Amino acid sequence: MYKVPLSDIDMGKAEIMAVEKVLKSRWLTLGEVTARFEQEFAKYMDVKEAVAVSSGTAALHLANLVLGIGPGDEVILPSMTFVATVNAVLYTGAIPIFADIKGLDDFNVASEEIEKKITPRTKAICVVHYGGYPADMDRILAIAKRHGLRVIEDAAHAIGAELNSQKVGTIGDIGCFSFFSNKNITTGEGGMLVTQDLDLAQRARRLRSHGMTSLSWDRLKGHASSYDVTDLGFNYRTTEIASAIGRVQLRKLDTNNIKRHKITEEYKKNLKDHKGLHLPFTHYFGKPSYHLFPIILPNQDQRDRLQTKLKKAGIQTSIHYSPVHLFSYYRKTYGNATGDLSKTVDVAARELTLPLFSGMTKDQIRLVVTTLIKNLS
Ligand SMILES: Cc1ncc(COP(=O)(O)O)c(C=O)c1O
């Protein structure tokens, strides 16, 4: 066990009681609790529609599908992301086109790099708000408008983040959230798709459950007695158990994001102006959700040595991210046909993610800071 894990969850009595209530209700899959979770999530986001699904990946897949993305289409996205962003495009038969990031100060996709990658086949841009730091949506939306493209926001890191006083994830056509265990709120596994477009939401709802026109829940409640299947759908349903946890977690989100902000400031105060250590995101757009605390070392060798030393001291760190295009599968698929992604590759070789979670203690922060400074060479 680590003295300081990379992330931790805030799970307590309220979640346990909410789950107990669901178990006693004897209805465990998609039903009233999930409907409530969706309503509360939509209200929090100030968006018309929220569709709860089984994972962030499912939300991304459905987002691509309901926007009509399919074989032959191209979707521009960063390689500096988790593979799910890219896989969601591949599942539809479309082609992911990687765009480079801004650089060492901001790991979000660069708007001018997006523009370079647009072809007649481009259908959409999928933006990832890295570490909870909002991407440059004003410019990206302007590009999308100019070229008639749809915009998906992968807001897996960015729940509660804002840009121009608008919640991140509600700025493009569709926003996708993840409730995986290391995220700012968690339901174990789970995800949410949000949109202002009722038609897109209805299609996502139908595809979430096999393309069926009614659900088991509707039939139990007597709202429907049969169903038709209108599309090739999936089982991307979530459970009432997950939704019950999600409702409690959502109520804690703003407070926990403030705690993450304070920890981030404490790190910054202690780690700034150290030779051989660069802090990204000292300037950023809007209000972040402080999902990750990334640092940059002078080179890969020093990064790897520091990671080993921190591990020996009981501190877990990670790398966000090994670029998607360099994993074996994508190399096999693309070869070298990705264009220039040198900033992505450079950051990936030198980046290290320090522990950050809302319940992190002062002692844990101090241990990370002192061990890190001691081992900077
Ligand atoms: C940027 C990003 N996109 C998508 C996902 C996929 O979410 P999930 O694990 O809930 O499928 C994750 C996290 O796991 C992520 O970090």
Side-chain angles (χ1 to χ4, degrees), residues 148-197:
L149 307 176
R150 308 306 290 262
V151 176
I152 298 171
E153 292 179 80
D154 180 340
H157 296 183
I159 186 163
E162 292 177 11
L163 191 64
N164 306 325
S165 303
Q166 193 178 349
K167 286 277 188 295
V168 160
T170 70
I171 302 166
D173 293 286
I174 299 184
C176 300
F177 295 90
S178 162
F179 308 136
F180 181 67
S181 290
N182 60 11
K183 298 299 186 284
N184 290 27
I185 74 172
T186 183
T187 62
E189 297 281 358
M192 193 74 81
L193 178 156
V194 300
T195 180
Q196 299 285 15
D197 187 323

Side-chain angles (χ1 to χ4, degrees), residues 54 242 329:
S54 52
Y329 175 76

Side-chain angles (χ1 to χ4, degrees), residues 55-65 69 74-92 94-99 109 124-130 152-157 176 178 183 321-322 324-325 327 330 334:
S55 69
T57 309
L60 283 164
H61 183 197
L62 293 184
N64 279 281
L65 282 175
I69 292 159
E74 294 179 353
V75 178
I76 301 174
L77 36 62
S79 177
M80 174 60 72
T81 184
F82 184 56
V83 291
T85 320
V86 180
N87 290 348
V89 175
L90 287 170
Y91 298 156
T92 69
I95 305 158
I97 303 290
F98 296 114
V109 65
I125 301 163
C126 182
V127 180
V128 179
H129 302 284
Y130 178 101
I152 298 171
E153 292 179 80
D154 180 340
H157 296 183
C176 300
S178 162
K183 298 299 186 284
Y321 284 97
S322 292
V324 176
H325 73 285
F327 284 119
Y330 308 91
Y334 293 99

